[in-house]
């Protein structure tokens, strides 16, 4: 069988380490939901049950490695909304966007709500999040996440993100767009090889429309985070370059506690702008979590 992602060996450094990492299980991380509980009482309650969590990251949000083989969804603390299972790199998206308390935020592709609820936590439950999700069948999981985690400052809408109809402008926009999901792949999981390259042909067309609409919904001085959990440059740098071709969009530096590599300078005869290096590529052999691409985009005043 062809090795996974062989075509990406041109730009993924230490490619055999990358391949080896895909053979190992994905570690489970959890976020403490400070909307409902502070870290210390939670850690003490878990320790009384013999569960000792290892800190995963020094960040504004308490993030921990879950004990191996545990099913977090069965924990009482999960049902009570004290914790949320979430990949480290997925948590990084909301941290990078960093909405201020009381701000006005649009999450264009919100279900199942991991990042929406994290944004609310960072905003200390103040301000407003419009959590948009196109697919009706994903509204209930989104609602369940928000209600279990005690998110009270979000409203739900169901528009295609690329045609999001509001006239009002937002301080922050999260565009965690539908993508081919290559970064979630580890061998032994059931969705390989179909879900590697080319599994969602032309998804980049939707991504290009979503990024343009998201940018147009930003206030002057506002910020948008564009994210995919995929490696394909056509869904990443190329989409951001499309935005820059049509709008005056600046790619801002990301201050990341997690190791990442810069955005590519070009791919497939396409050359990207100088500031594409400010985008972040997260690979599993650098940070043992889901692979992601993120670009923080600023709208100039
Ligand atoms: C990558 S997932 C979002 C994950 C979510 N941000 C989280 O952290 O839990 C992308 C979501 O976009 C939704 N979606 C797909 N096409 C869409 C569209 N055109 N407009 C809005 N949402 C869309 C999918 O149903 C899916 O729930």
């Amino acid at each position: 069988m062809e090795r996974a992602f062989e075509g990406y060996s041109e730009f993924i450094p230490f490619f055999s380490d990358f391949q080896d990492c895909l053979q190992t299980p994905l570690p489970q991380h959890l976020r403490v939901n400070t909307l409902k509980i502070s870290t210390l009482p939670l850690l003490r309650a878990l320790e009384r049950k013999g569960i000792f969590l290892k800190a995963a990251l020094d960040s504004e949000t308490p993030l921990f490695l879950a004990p191996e083989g545990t099913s977090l969804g069965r924990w009482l603390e999960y049902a009570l909304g004290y914790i949320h299972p979430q990949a480290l790199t997925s948590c990084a998206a909301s941290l990078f966007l960093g909405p201020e308390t009381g701000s006005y935020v649009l999450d264009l592709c919100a279900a199942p709500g991991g990042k929406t609820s994290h944004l609310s936590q960072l905003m200390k439950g103040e301000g407003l999040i419009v959590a948009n999700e196109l697919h009706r069948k994903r509204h209930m999981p989104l609602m369940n996440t928000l209600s279990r985690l005690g998110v009270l400052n979000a409203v739900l809408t169901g528009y295609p993100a690329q045609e999001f109809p509001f006239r009002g402008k937002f301080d922050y926009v999260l565009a965690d767009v539908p993508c081919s999901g290559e970064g979630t792949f580890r061998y032994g999981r059931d969705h390989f090889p179909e879900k590697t390259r080319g599994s969602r042909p032309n998804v980049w067309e939707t991504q290009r429309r979503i990024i343009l609409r998201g940018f147009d919904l930003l206030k002057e001085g506002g910020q948008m985070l564009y994210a995919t959990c995929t490696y394909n440059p056509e869904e990443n740098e190329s989409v951001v370059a499309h935005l820059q071709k049509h709008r005056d969009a600046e790619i801002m530096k990301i201050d990341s506690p997690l190791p990442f590599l810069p955005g590519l300078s070009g791919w497939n005869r396409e050359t990207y702008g100088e500031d594409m290096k400010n985008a972040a590529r997260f690979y599993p052999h650098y940070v043992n979590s889901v692979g992601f691409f993120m670009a923080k985009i600023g709208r100039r005043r």
Side-chain angles (χ1 to χ4, degrees):
M1 186 174 76
E2 189 199 348
R3 287 195 307 164
F5 309 121
E6 194 66 63
Y8 299 158
S9 58
E10 277 177 45
F11 62 81
I12 300 184
F14 305 106
F15 194 70
S16 58
D17 293 348
F18 168 72
Q19 288 280 321
D20 291 346
C21 190
L22 299 183
Q23 306 274 358
T24 63
L26 187 65
Q28 266 197 102
H29 290 94
L30 65 87
R31 160 165 71 80
V32 177
N33 177 27
T34 51
L35 286 172
K36 283 205 164 177
I37 194 164
S38 334
T39 310
L40 270 184
L42 173 75
L43 292 182
R44 290 214 181 102
L46 289 173
E47 281 166 16
R48 282 196 291 276
K49 297 183 191 179
I51 301 171
F52 296 86
L53 296 181
K54 199 170 148 203
L57 188 67
D58 184 17
S59 77
E60 187 181 342
T61 301
L63 297 167
F64 293 89
L65 184 64
E68 224 172 287
T70 194
S71 175
L72 290 172
R74 293 191 178 171
W75 287 19
L76 174 66
E77 293 73 14
Y78 172 87
L80 292 171
Y82 294 167
I83 60 156
H84 187 64
Q86 195 170 350
L88 265 190
T89 39
S90 166
C91 293
S94 309
L95 286 169
F96 295 157
L97 190 58
E100 280 172 26
T101 306
S103 52
Y104 196 34
V105 178
L106 173 62
D107 185 351
L108 280 167
C109 306
K115 298 186 188 70
T116 314
S117 51
H118 189 193
L119 290 168
S120 175
Q121 173 171 345
L122 293 168
M123 293 157 74
K124 302 189 171 49
E126 291 170 26
L128 180 71
I129 305 175
V130 178
N132 181 67
E133 164 61 44
L134 175 62
H135 295 294
R136 268 184 180 214
K137 63 175 193 293
R138 291 176 65 82
H139 285 176
M140 198 54 95
L142 172 57
M143 287 297 291
N144 287 344
T145 305
L146 301 184
S147 82
R148 181 176 57 80
L149 296 175
V151 173
L152 297 175
N153 65 332
V155 292
L156 206 151
T157 59
Y159 299 107
Q162 62 274 29
E163 291 161 17
F164 191 81
F166 286 21
R167 292 217 187 111
K169 303 269 173 158
F170 295 84
D171 301 300
Y172 301 93
V173 171
L174 176 63
D176 186 29
V177 296
C179 70
S180 48
E182 296 166 341
T184 61
F185 170 69
R186 296 278 176 130
Y187 283 95
R189 288 185 57 175
D190 53 5
H191 57 251
F192 188 77
E194 291 77 17
K195 281 203 89 176
T196 58
R197 289 198 73 190
S199 62
R200 296 191 71 170
N202 305 338
V203 67
W204 53 268
E205 285 175 10
T206 308
Q207 294 163 342
R208 285 177 177 208
R209 293 183 63 203
I210 293 178
I211 202 172
L212 281 169
R213 186 68 195 126
F215 185 82
D216 290 343
L217 287 159
L218 278 179
K219 289 180 184 170
E220 286 181 10
Q223 296 172 1
M224 167 165 68
L225 193 91
Y226 175 82
T228 73
C229 56
T230 214
Y231 306 113
N232 189 348
E234 282 167 13
E235 299 182 42
N236 295 323
E237 285 87 348
S238 186
V239 174
V240 176
H242 176 78
L243 170 70
Q244 290 192 296
K245 191 170 158 200
H246 294 277
R247 302 287 188 276
D248 184 18
E250 168 195 14
I251 308 175
M252 304 167 74
K253 283 209 165 93
I254 283 175
D255 183 19
S256 170
L258 295 174
F260 68 90
L261 292 181
L264 304 180
S265 54
W267 169 253
N268 260 358
R269 294 188 297 275
E270 220 187 338
T271 307
Y272 309 124
E274 173 63 15
D275 60 354
M276 196 63 79
K277 66 176 184 304
N278 293 339
R281 288 187 152 263
F282 293 94
Y283 294 117
H285 56 314
Y286 284 76
V287 47
N288 194 4
S289 186
V290 171
F292 259 94
F293 170 88
M294 296 180 201
K296 186 169 175 175
I297 293 156
R299 182 177 186 138
R300 294 190 179 89
R301 284 178 202 281

